[in-house]
Amino acid sequence: MKKIRDIMRLDAGINGDAQRIEQLVWILFLKVYDAKEENWEFDDDNYESIIPEECRWRNWAGDSSLTGDKLLDFVNNTLFPTLKELPVTADTPMKKAIVKTTFEDANNYMKGGVYLRQVIDVVNEIDLEDTSETHAFGDIYESILKELQSAGSSGEFYTPRAVTEFMAEMIEPKIGETMADFACGTGGFLTSWIKQLEKQKSNTGDIEKINASFYGMEKKPFPYLLCITNMLLHGMENPNVAHGNSLTNNLLDYTEKDQFDKILMNPPYGGHENASVKGYFPDDLASSETADLFMSVIMYRLKKNGRAAVILPDGFLFGNDNAKTSIKEKLIKDFNLHTIIRMPGSVFAPYTGITTNILFFDNTAPTENMWFYRMDMPEGYKHFSKTKPMKLEHFDKVKDWWNDRQEIVIDEWPKAKKFSAKEIADNDFNLDLCGFPHEEEEILEPMELIKSYQEHRQALNAKIDKVLEAITAKLNVK
C-alpha cells in the first residue's frame, strides 16, 4: 500500500487522497473479480464471463509490455467504455451485473501510463488464491476504508468498525434472518452482520443462507464500488447490493415482502433531498432532512417482531419541527424504542464533530419505557482520532450495563436513566436526555457549525410557537 501511494503521488492526474483511493479501488475490484471468476470457471465448465476477453484483468493487466501511452489509451478508450456499456438485462445474474453498475461512474484519474503500469504490477503481486494472504488483504482493504475519514467528503461513507460490530452484536443476528441497510456506504454494517453469522454456521446450507441474508442499497457511485469490492473480499459472490436511492419509492407501497427481520443503518444526515422526494412520503412524515426520511423508511420496512439499530444525530433527538415530532411520535407509539445510547462527539472525527446516538427499537409493541445511557470517553482519551480510534472494547461498559440495567447518576447528572413513554410525550417527544454535561466545546467546520445552529434555532422556534399558541388560546385572541 505504501508503494502504491508513493507511485500515485508522482502522477499528475491524482489530486488528493480521495482520488487516489477511488483510482486504487477500481483497480482492486478488477483484480478481485478476476480471482472470483477463476473460481467460478473451476466450478462450472460452462461459465462465460460478461467481460470481453481483451478487457479481462488476466489478459491486459498481466501483459507487462502494455505500458505508457498504449496502456493509457487502452484503459481510457477501450476498457472503461466497454465496462460502462456491458449488456445487462433483468435476467443477468447479480455477480455479472455488478461489473457494469460498478463502472458506470468510475474514473481513471492517472495521466502517466508508466506510473499506472507500476501500480498494476504491485497489485498483481497479491495472491488471492492464498487464504492467509487474502485475509491479510481484507485487513488492508479495511485500512483503505478508514482512510476515507480523513479524505474530505468521502468520510461520510465510513462508520467506525467498532460501532458497526457493537450494533450488529446487540441486534442478535440469527442464520435464516434477513437484514438490510438502505444507505450502505462501503458495506460496514453488511460485513459486521456477516461476521456475526459466520460464528454460527455449521454446514454448507448455512453458508448459502448467509450469502442470501442481506440487502444493501447505495446512492453514490464511489461507495457502491467500495461496497461491492468489500463484499467480494468477504466471500459474498452474489452481493445483493443495489445502486440507487432508497428514498425514491412510495412509502405506502411497501408490503410484507419488502420488509426485513433486522435493520442496521447510519443514515446520511445533514443533507437534503430534492423537493420531489417528499412526494414519496405522507405529509406528516415529509421532512427535508435525509435522516428523518430514512427513519420513516426503516419503520415501514421492519418486519413484525423485527429489530433495528440506527445511528442518528442529536438534531433528531431535540428537533421539534412538525416532521421530526411526527416521526418520533410514530416511533414511540407503533414501535418499542427501548434504548438510546448517546455516543461521544468525536466518534466520526475528523469527518464530523456532530454528536450521534444509537437508537435500538423493535416492532413488537408500543414503547412503555425507554432507557438512555451516556457513553463517556474512555479513560486516557480526550478525543477519538486517527491515531487513537474508537475500539470495540470501549463498548464493554455499555454491554455490562445492557444486561443489568440500573439508573446511574454522576455529580447529580444522570448517566443512565429510564423514562416512561408518557414522560417523553409530555415533553413534546424531546429525546435529548442523559446528555454530556462537561464536554469540551469542539471547533466545528463552518458548515457543521451552521447546521448545528440551524437545528437549535428550529427547535427553539418550535417551542416559542407552542408557548405563543397556548397564551393566545388562554387570551382567546384571534
Side-chain angles (χ1 to χ4, degrees), residues 354-474:
I354 293 176
T355 309
T356 54
N357 313 270
I358 310 174
L359 278 64
F360 290 91
F361 58 96
D362 55 59
N363 191 3
T364 56
T367 304
E368 292 185 2
N369 295 296
M370 192 185 312
W371 279 95
F372 288 77
Y373 181 93
R374 187 185 72 242
M375 184 181 175
D376 297 317
M377 290 297 299
E379 188 175 345
Y381 283 71
K382 186 175 181 181
H383 298 292
F384 294 120
S385 64
K386 188 175 181 179
T387 55
K388 296 182 73 173
M390 189 177 215
K391 300 176 182 178
L392 183 58
E393 65 197 50
H394 294 150
F395 284 98
D396 286 349
K397 290 183 178 179
V398 185
K399 293 179 187 177
D400 292 341
W401 169 85
W402 184 285
N403 297 318
D404 182 22
R405 301 191 176 200
Q406 297 181 9
E407 295 193 349
I408 303 171
V409 177
I410 298 177
D411 296 330
E412 300 183 355
W413 194 273
K415 174 181 172 69
K417 187 173 176 62
K418 181 171 68 173
F419 294 87
S420 69
K422 185 179 184 306
E423 287 177 296
I424 300 295
D426 290 344
N427 195 31
D428 296 328
F429 297 97
N430 183 353
L431 305 178
D432 188 14
L433 303 166
C434 295
F436 293 83
H438 305 302
E439 264 199 321
E440 293 187 16
E441 184 177 352
E442 288 191 82
I443 299 175
L444 302 179
E445 292 294 322
M447 292 309 296
E448 293 176 9
L449 192 61
I450 291 171
K451 175 66 178 173
S452 177
Y453 283 142
Q454 286 175 336
E455 289 177 342
H456 282 286
R457 185 172 64 182
Q458 288 173 358
L460 183 59
N461 286 341
K463 289 180 179 179
I464 292 172
D465 288 342
K466 287 198 173 186
V467 172
L468 290 176
E469 286 175 9
I471 294 173
T472 302
K474 286 185 178 181

Side-chain angles (χ1 to χ4, degrees), residues 86-104:
L86 289 173
V88 172
T89 68
D91 297 324
T92 304
M94 178 63 76
K95 67 182 181 183
K96 292 185 177 183
I98 57 176
V99 180
K100 179 179 180 178
T101 51
T102 296
F103 271 82
E104 278 177 342

Side-chain angles (χ1 to χ4, degrees), residues 279-394:
Y280 296 103
F281 293 77
D283 290 343
D284 60 331
L285 305 178
S287 172
S288 58
E289 160 58 49
T290 50
D292 297 347
L293 297 174
F294 274 107
M295 271 303 297
S296 294
V297 172
I298 293 167
M299 288 189 288
Y300 274 81
R301 301 194 69 177
L302 184 64
K303 277 186 180 179
K304 183 64 179 174
N305 297 318
R307 297 182 181 183
V310 185
I311 298 174
L312 290 170
D314 275 4
F316 178 84
L317 300 193
F318 62 68
N320 265 338
D321 61 74
N322 291 337
K324 273 189 174 63
T325 300
S326 296
I327 293 167
K328 288 187 281 189
E329 183 175 0
K330 179 177 177 62
L331 178 61
I332 291 171
K333 290 185 175 179
D334 295 352
F335 297 82
N336 176 28
L337 176 59
H338 54 82
T339 310
I340 295 180
I341 305 296
R342 310 208 63 175
M343 293 193 292
S346 56
V347 170
F348 289 89
Y351 170 63
T352 179
I354 293 176
T355 309
T356 54
N357 313 270
I358 310 174
L359 278 64
F360 290 91
F361 58 96
D362 55 59
N363 191 3
T364 56
T367 304
E368 292 185 2
N369 295 296
M370 192 185 312
W371 279 95
F372 288 77
Y373 181 93
R374 187 185 72 242
M375 184 181 175
D376 297 317
M377 290 297 299
E379 188 175 345
Y381 283 71
K382 186 175 181 181
H383 298 292
F384 294 120
S385 64
K386 188 175 181 179
T387 55
K388 296 182 73 173
M390 189 177 215
K391 300 176 182 178
L392 183 58
E393 65 197 50
H394 294 150

Side-chain angles (χ1 to χ4, degrees), residues 253-266:
D253 287 345
Y254 287 122
T255 63
E256 286 187 18
K257 68 180 180 62
D258 301 307
Q259 296 178 331
F260 297 86
D261 297 299
K262 304 288 173 70
I263 296 175
L264 288 164
M265 279 197 73
N266 177 14

